Amino acid sequence: MRLKTSLLKEPKHKELVSCLGWTTADELYSCGDDHQILKWNLLTSETIQLVKLSDIYPIDLHWFPKSVTGKKQTQAETFVLTSSDGKFHLISKLGRVEKSVDAHSGAVLAGRWNYEGTALLTAGEDGQIKIWSKSGMLRSTLAQQGAPVYSVTWSPDSEKVLYTTGKQLVIKPLQPSAKVLQWKAHDGIILKVDWNVINDLILSAGEDCKYKVWDSYGRPLFSSQSHEYPVTSVAWAPDGELFAVGSFHTLRLCDKTGWSYALEKPNTGSIFNIAWSVDGTQIAGACGNGHVIFAHVVEQHWEWKNFEITLTKRRTMQVRNVVNDAVDLLEFRDRVIKASLNYGHLVVSTSLQCYVFSTKNWNTPLIFDLREGTVSLILQSERHFLLVGSVGVFLYSYEGRLISSPKLPGIRTDILNAQTVSLSNDTIAIKDKADEKLIYLFEALTGKPVGDGKPLTHKIEIVEIALDQKGLTNERKIAFIDKNRDLYITAVRRFGKEERVIKIGTMVHALAWSDTSNILCGLQDTRFTVWYYPNVIYVDKDLLSKTVFEKDASEFSKNPQIVSFEGNRVTIRRADGSLVHTNVSPYPAILHEYVGASKWENAVRLCRFVKEQTLWACLAAMAVANKDMTTAEVAYAAIGDIDKVQYINSIKDLPSKESKIAHILLFSGNIQDAEAILLQAGLIYQAIQVNINLYNWERALELAVKHKTHVDTVLAFRQKYLEDFSKKETNQRFLQYAEGVEVEWDKIKAKIEMEIAKERERMSTNSSLSMRSSITSQR
Amino acid sequence: MAKDILGDAGLHFDELNKLRILDPDAAQQTTELKEECREFVDKIGQFQKIVGGLIELVDQLAKQAENEKMKAIGARNLLKSIAKQREAQQQQLHALIAEKKMQLERYRIEHEALSKVEVEQNEFIDQFILQK
């Protein structure tokens, strides 16, 4: 990625430019010490003087935020301009000064609207921070201190304020009683801060010639090398993926993790302020020598399989097929804003249209017009893609048909990112920003909420979500990482019963599902972990550790990110920005394929060929999940779980189909389901026996009493159990029923035999099976 | 006799026998003096002109000299500042080089990783061929 800068020959301002702000993607306002407000129109390359203010030295400018609710208002109408005489001015788009308010003694160094546009924050040389109403009435003085406050910014939820005091950064909540967070951030005075809405990260720049990235708890994530001159400005791109840094004769483009994509050395003097255009494709910088510098972000890069795509110019993409070195040029009518390449399709959004290319044919894209608002995120799945913008989320097919548009009441869609939205062929998952413990799930094809419409709720805040991509709709799983960095997995669709949310990993920094099979990979503390078959926890928890592949992640250095997991290739970006590719074993994916097609013999043959414990363990779990006990037996034998092989053998010998299913469920730990199946089939005794075997005495007795059979059986087994452990009966209910019931083992045994015979009779077709089946003899 | 009396009275006759109150010799001398004076004044005037021209010329020269001097100083300063500019340019280029080096390092790491993947895949293929 690179910045393409443009500077006029002669500066338009006669003195230094102090501040600037965009209204749309092509219109910029700038103010300088020559008292002028200039309006730059980039479409016509015209610059007009809007107004010449009398004796005002502007310092900071901030546009009133676009109304979030009123959809008609598409651009900002007024802005706040702070000046060195201690005032701030509310100025309309046409340059009329609507109001001037005396705010601070000494200069007003910063003025910022909150994201809702309900409050204005100003900071002054006098060390005060004040909050004003929309119309410019003083609401409160938030803080007061000895040193000037050079920069302030709102937190994403507009409930906290970040400001500088000397070398320290302070996060102060608006609520007076809440805790204030303060830390020393730089070795010099801090000149600029910025806090991104989408990724919740903080940027700071100071006179120690460094810029730093922090998380919202003040933990350092990145610190740059020392520059030659103080860093005078920093600004986040609207999508939170990039940020720009300005210094003397220096303009830098950096990734959100801090490493730098590109460095430009334009002849600008110090760059006092940087503003990103609304669509995030270009920046403008206020230069000390009266220039306003414009810089376009170009040469973004996308890779998928054998295709490499580069945005060579604003409206041109170059596609290179690495296999045969064929080069295609894609031309667009407008500037490219977002693009995504995956699953054989390239989706490109410009300011007005959306283009869908197939990797098979670059010449004839499918083009459709976009609804109003720019696209902030494109997500792809095998069959459709999702466009996320300020007006909502829209699911399109690759034929360009609008499939659905989930309704998200109260969710700001323009701040969603790839960590908070996930798409699979049949499901859309969205994490709410207002309540981060919730995940909203939608049917992709209809846009309606999944199941009963209740969102998935977790105990604590969720950080990242991801849906698996393959397999049946009913078995769709979602993996998510919470604030404690624990990795959980759960089913998306719930049928009646409460589906368990199960923890499968701790200290997980990043995760990704493979795009071709349900294999999950993650970076766990210092290890790189691949869960070959995460579904195993629903089948046989003991196998989880055996189906996991781990390797040392030290080659990825500190804080790596997973970029993609295509087929069996994982691409990881290290903290220094370099990409590292690593392969995971191809066999589990093949195994997934065989199992998906129920080719059990092939699957077993594959495992015999590979001779790996992990693969056998995966097969065992898959076989049990699909209730193919023959394969399961082979697989369990291969990994040496003899007890399980024995149990499977005993299941095979069971007389009826229902008992078999029930015992397979029992095998996976689904006791309730197993019992329900038995009761449904009228196998009351078997259900009771299941509970007895599990020492679930109360439930066994309850069933027996409810169905008025085998009460004596339960009591007999209970008695035997108590005798074995030389204990006394303490349970009230058992004492109550024990009275008047004579325990005769012969009679009970006869009854049991009868029950089993009855079951066998019912399944007369299966009666040729071995005679020696008695549930009581198991385990 | 009479002449002397007239002479005593301050009256004289000239050659043309006109009555004069000044001694003809003196008169002649006076006239001569007058002529000489006029000549002298003319000459002085001429001299002044010449000297004025000279002064002008010298002034011009002085100005030129001054200009040249300033130019020389300017050039000297420029020379000095160019050295500084070079330094700044050098610094900028160094920064750009450092940036490129970092990019190169990133590519190197990526290449290394990819080579490793290649080796792994070749191994895999070999193993596959051998076992089949």
Side-chain angles (χ1 to χ4, degrees):
Chain A
M1 223 176 280
R2 197 167 66 81
L3 281 174
K4 200 164 125 191
T5 57
S6 64
L7 268 181
L8 294 175
K9 279 205 187 81
E10 288 299 318
K12 290 277 183 189
H13 281 279
K14 291 174 197 76
E15 304 264 344
L16 71 84
V17 186
S18 54
C19 50
L20 33 70
W22 295 84
T23 51
T24 62
D26 301 295
E27 194 180 65
L28 179 89
Y29 282 56
S30 69
C31 302
D33 275 2
D34 54 358
H35 314 303
Q36 289 188 93
I37 300 181
L38 294 185
K39 182 166 126 183
W40 305 69
N41 189 328
L42 300 190
L43 289 176
T44 55
S45 335
E46 270 179 350
T47 312
I48 51 168
Q49 182 189 3
L50 199 67
V51 69
K52 187 147 180 157
L53 305 160
S54 52
D55 290 337
I56 291 178
Y57 288 91
I59 293 177
D60 195 16
L61 178 156
H62 194 218
W63 279 96
F64 187 76
K66 279 185 212 172
S67 147
V68 181
T69 46
K71 280 178 187 166
K72 277 184 188 163
Q73 196 184 355
T74 50
Q75 63 187 62
E77 293 297 325
T78 58
F79 61 89
V80 60
L81 188 75
T82 68
S83 60
S84 59
D85 54 1
K87 289 182 180 168
F88 70 82
H89 314 270
L90 300 176
I91 301 176
S92 78
K93 201 164 179 282
L94 302 169
R96 199 159 57 86
V97 180
E98 312 256 340
K99 194 163 189 180
S100 291
V101 181
D102 269 312
H104 294 267
S105 54
V108 186
L109 296 175
R112 280 279 171 277
W113 292 105
N114 70 355
Y115 293 98
E116 288 80 37
T118 50
L120 172 71
L121 189 67
T122 61
E125 249 175 349
D126 55 359
Q128 292 190 342
I129 292 168
K130 292 180 176 175
I131 294 176
W132 308 79
S133 75
K134 193 178 160 183
S135 55
M137 304 293 287
L138 180 64
R139 280 218 196 116
S140 61
T141 301
L142 188 71
Q144 192 160 14
Q145 63 200 7
V149 179
Y150 287 101
S151 186
V152 284
T153 182
W154 290 91
S155 73
D157 55 7
S158 294
E159 276 170 12
K160 287 181 228 162
V161 167
L162 169 71
Y163 62 89
T164 70
T165 161
K167 298 169 185 174
Q168 312 226 0
L169 284 179
V170 183
I171 295 178
K172 187 163 176 148
L174 293 189
Q175 280 183 334
S177 55
K179 203 173 148 256
V180 177
L181 187 66
Q182 179 166 4
W183 72 97
K184 188 186 173 215
H186 284 261
D187 294 327
I189 288 169
I190 301 170
L191 298 175
K192 208 84 182 170
V193 288
D194 198 9
W195 197 339
N196 189 256
V197 195
I198 291 182
N199 59 23
D200 206 16
L201 297 178
I202 293 168
L203 272 178
S204 65
E207 283 192 342
D208 59 351
C209 308
K210 286 179 181 173
Y211 59 88
K212 297 185 179 186
V213 185
W214 312 86
D215 71 3
S216 54
Y217 304 100
R219 286 179 296 209
L221 299 180
F222 177 83
S223 170
S224 78
Q225 285 179 326
S226 200
H227 290 61
E228 299 95 53
Y229 301 99
V231 181
T232 46
S233 54
V234 280
W236 278 109
D239 65 358
E241 291 297 317
L242 301 169
F243 65 87
V245 178
S247 175
F248 180 74
H249 279 349
T250 304
L251 191 60
R252 211 180 247 288
L253 181 72
C254 302
D255 187 74
K256 67 174 172 191
T257 48
W259 60 277
S260 132
Y261 274 109
L263 172 71
E264 291 292 326
K265 289 278 185 184
N267 193 14
T268 53
S270 285
I271 297 176
F272 290 113
N273 257 310
I274 296 177
W276 283 84
S277 72
V278 181
D279 58 6
T281 56
Q282 59 181 329
I283 55 177
C287 310
N289 58 3
H291 274 295
V292 170
I293 187 170
F294 291 95
H296 255 94
V297 181
V298 291
E299 288 186 13
Q300 283 110 311
H301 201 71
W302 294 269
E303 271 177 36
W304 183 76
K305 294 211 166 148
N306 52 336
F307 292 102
E308 274 186 356
I309 298 183
T310 312
L311 184 72
T312 48
K313 286 182 209 155
R314 270 182 266 179
R315 297 189 195 121
T316 314
M317 275 184 172
Q318 193 196 60
V319 182
R320 193 164 154 253
N321 186 340
V322 184
V323 175
N324 55 12
D325 246 338
V327 173
D328 286 278
L329 278 184
L330 312 180
E331 300 272 349
F332 301 94
R333 215 173 62 188
D334 306 294
R335 174 169 72 239
V336 172
I337 293 174
K338 289 272 169 204
S340 168
L341 173 68
N342 213 337
Y343 297 105
H345 288 89
L346 169 70
V347 183
V348 180
S349 79
T350 66
S351 48
L352 296 170
Q353 289 171 315
C354 180
Y355 295 70
V356 183
F357 294 86
S358 164
T359 50
K360 290 181 195 113
N361 180 4
W362 295 106
N363 297 323
T364 47
L366 192 121
I367 306 171
F368 60 89
D369 286 343
L370 285 171
R371 304 198 180 178
E372 58 181 316
T374 51
V375 171
S376 57
L377 178 68
I378 303 174
L379 278 183
Q380 285 181 273
S381 75
E382 199 182 348
R383 283 188 219 141
H384 1 264
F385 62 94
L386 192 71
L387 298 181
V388 182
S390 54
V391 284
V393 293
F394 302 98
L395 188 74
Y396 289 90
S397 70
Y398 287 115
E399 288 79 47
R401 193 167 48 85
L402 177 67
I403 296 174
S404 67
S405 162
K407 296 276 168 300
L408 305 159
I411 297 183
R412 272 187 70 186
T413 50
D414 54 336
I415 57 171
L416 294 173
N417 64 8
Q419 274 79 48
T420 55
V421 190
S422 185
L423 175 71
S424 73
N425 278 339
D426 42 51
T427 315
I428 304 169
I430 295 174
K431 190 195 82 176
D432 188 13
K433 190 90 187 173
D435 186 351
E436 302 210 89
K437 292 170 190 160
L438 303 183
I439 302 173
Y440 292 95
L441 298 161
F442 299 93
E443 299 282 356
L445 297 179
T446 58
K448 295 207 172 74
V450 167
D452 55 3
K454 273 189 204 143
L456 181 68
T457 314
H458 188 55
K459 298 185 291 284
I460 54 171
E461 283 83 355
I462 295 162
V463 179
E464 191 173 343
I465 61 174
L467 286 165
D468 64 355
Q469 297 294 323
K470 286 280 171 173
L472 300 172
T473 304
N474 287 342
E475 286 169 10
R476 186 66 54 233
K477 296 276 187 294
I478 184 164
F480 60 87
I481 303 175
D482 69 12
K483 218 169 85 181
N484 292 346
R485 292 282 160 199
D486 290 333
L487 174 63
Y488 289 86
I489 189 165
T490 187
V492 167
R493 285 174 182 74
R494 291 132 185 269
F495 301 98
K497 64 197 157 80
E498 193 62 27
E499 196 68 57
R500 286 167 298 167
V501 179
I502 302 177
K503 181 156 103 176
I504 57 172
T506 52
M507 296 283 287
V508 181
H509 304 295
L511 82 166
W513 287 96
S514 164
D515 61 346
T516 50
S517 52
N518 284 342
I519 298 175
L520 181 70
C521 77
L523 292 159
Q524 201 172 8
D525 202 11
T526 58
R527 325 266 310 150
F528 170 71
T529 311
V530 184
W531 288 268
Y532 285 134
Y533 187 60
N535 199 27
V536 66
I537 41 132
Y538 287 104
V539 180
D540 186 350
K541 259 188 220 171
D542 311 338
L543 282 183
L544 179 64
S545 58
K546 284 185 185 159
T547 60
V548 167
F549 165 77
E550 279 198 337
K551 74 171 183 182
D552 187 38
S554 56
E555 62 170 314
F556 310 129
S557 74
K558 219 178 75 181
N559 283 333
Q561 306 274 324
I562 299 177
V563 179
S564 68
F565 187 4
E566 284 168 14
N568 57 351
R569 194 176 79 163
V570 185
T571 307
I572 290 165
R573 200 181 273 288
R574 300 187 354 170
D576 64 357
S578 44
L579 290 168
V580 180
H581 306 271
T582 184
N583 267 1
V584 302
S585 162
Y587 298 119
I590 302 172
L591 191 68
H592 270 279
E593 229 167 80
Y594 282 147
V595 170
S598 297
K599 291 180 182 164
W600 296 105
E601 280 173 26
N602 292 9
V604 172
R605 210 177 304 144
L606 176 75
C607 290
R608 290 212 173 107
F609 171 74
V610 180
K611 291 184 209 113
E612 260 179 37
Q613 288 279 303
T614 43
L615 211 60
W616 279 114
C618 289
L619 181 64
M622 287 171 184
V624 174
N626 290 291
K627 307 197 169 51
D628 188 298
M629 297 326 267
T630 335
T631 314
E633 192 186 338
V634 176
Y636 273 114
I639 51 173
D641 278 355
I642 303 304
D643 49 339
K644 283 173 183 162
V645 175
Q646 223 168 7
Y647 191 73
I648 290 166
N649 266 327
S650 71
I651 291 175
K652 273 184 172 172
D653 294 343
L654 286 176
S656 73
K657 209 174 132 198
E658 283 87 358
S659 327
K660 277 188 192 171
I661 294 174
H663 278 267
I664 292 169
L665 283 170
L666 266 184
F667 185 83
S668 342
N670 275 334
I671 301 157
Q672 277 184 345
D673 287 359
E675 191 195 283
I677 281 181
L678 287 172
L679 288 175
Q680 219 173 13
L683 301 170
I684 316 263
Y685 158 71
Q686 279 81 350
I688 293 170
Q689 189 64 47
V690 161
N691 278 309
I692 292 175
N693 287 349
L694 289 165
Y695 303 109
N696 205 349
W697 298 109
E698 293 218 9
R699 177 71 185 154
L701 187 66
E702 197 187 313
L703 283 175
V705 170
K706 195 175 155 198
H707 295 277
K708 299 199 177 67
T709 55
H710 289 286
V711 178
D712 54 343
T713 317
V714 178
L715 290 171
F717 275 103
R718 171 78 172 177
Q719 218 168 41
K720 190 161 168 262
Y721 157 78
L722 289 172
E723 271 167 25
D724 286 352
F725 290 90
S726 25
K727 274 188 183 171
K728 275 203 165 174
E729 183 62 82
T730 50
N731 193 313
Q732 279 300 322
R733 290 196 64 183
F734 276 94
L735 284 172
Q736 184 195 330
Y737 284 103
E739 280 174 31
V741 178
E742 200 70 16
V743 175
E744 287 172 49
W745 276 104
D746 294 342
K747 219 167 114 189
I748 290 165
K749 271 182 188 157
K751 239 166 120 184
I752 290 171
E753 287 294 327
M754 207 177 72
E755 287 282 355
I756 290 160
K758 220 160 74 186
E759 192 187 342
R760 197 161 297 136
E761 221 169 88
R762 267 167 46 116
M763 298 287 144
S764 50
T765 45
N766 298 343
S767 59
S768 59
L769 283 169
S770 86
M771 296 297 289
R772 190 209 56 85
S773 77
S774 158
I775 303 160
T776 51
S777 65
Q778 278 158 20
R779 289 195 167 176
Chain B
M1 273 304 278
K3 244 183 184 175
D4 290 343
I5 298 162
L6 279 167
D8 288 345
L11 294 165
H12 308 276
F13 292 94
D14 61 4
E15 294 102 35
L16 301 170
N17 288 325
K18 278 188 179 166
L19 189 69
R20 301 270 170 162
I21 51 166
L22 203 66
D23 187 13
D25 292 349
Q28 199 182 346
Q29 275 173 10
T30 309
T31 323
E32 272 169 21
L33 183 70
K34 196 173 126 193
E35 286 296 314
E36 263 174 44
C37 277
R38 187 181 295 135
E39 248 169 60
F40 177 74
V41 167
D42 280 357
K43 273 184 187 162
I44 286 289
Q46 250 174 23
F47 177 72
Q48 208 166 11
K49 227 191 209 161
I50 290 166
V51 166
L54 186 72
I55 287 171
E56 220 169 85
L57 210 71
V58 169
D59 271 358
Q60 264 177 18
L61 272 176
K63 249 186 211 161
Q64 270 177 12
E66 198 68 24
N67 270 345
E68 290 303 317
K69 217 158 83 186
M70 288 311 283
K71 266 188 198 163
I73 290 169
R76 202 177 295 160
N77 284 348
L78 211 65
L79 198 70
K80 266 185 205 163
S81 80
I82 273 181
K84 265 188 193 154
Q85 252 180 42
R86 279 282 141 77
E87 217 169 277
Q89 264 177 2
Q90 207 176 5
Q91 216 175 29
Q92 287 189 8
L93 287 174
H94 271 304
L96 289 172
I97 289 169
E99 193 69 20
K100 294 274 177 227
K101 266 189 185 158
M102 262 158 69
Q103 185 60 39
L104 181 70
E105 176 65 14
R106 273 181 221 134
Y107 283 137
R108 194 191 60 74
I109 291 169
E110 188 174 352
H111 179 254
E112 218 169 71
L114 280 172
S115 312
K116 226 158 113 188
V117 169
E118 193 189 355
V119 169
E120 272 172 29
Q121 287 194 336
N122 280 335
E123 245 170 52
F124 176 77
I125 291 167
D126 288 346
Q127 190 193 355
F128 208 71
I129 291 168
L130 285 176
Q131 283 200 3
K132 273 268 154 138

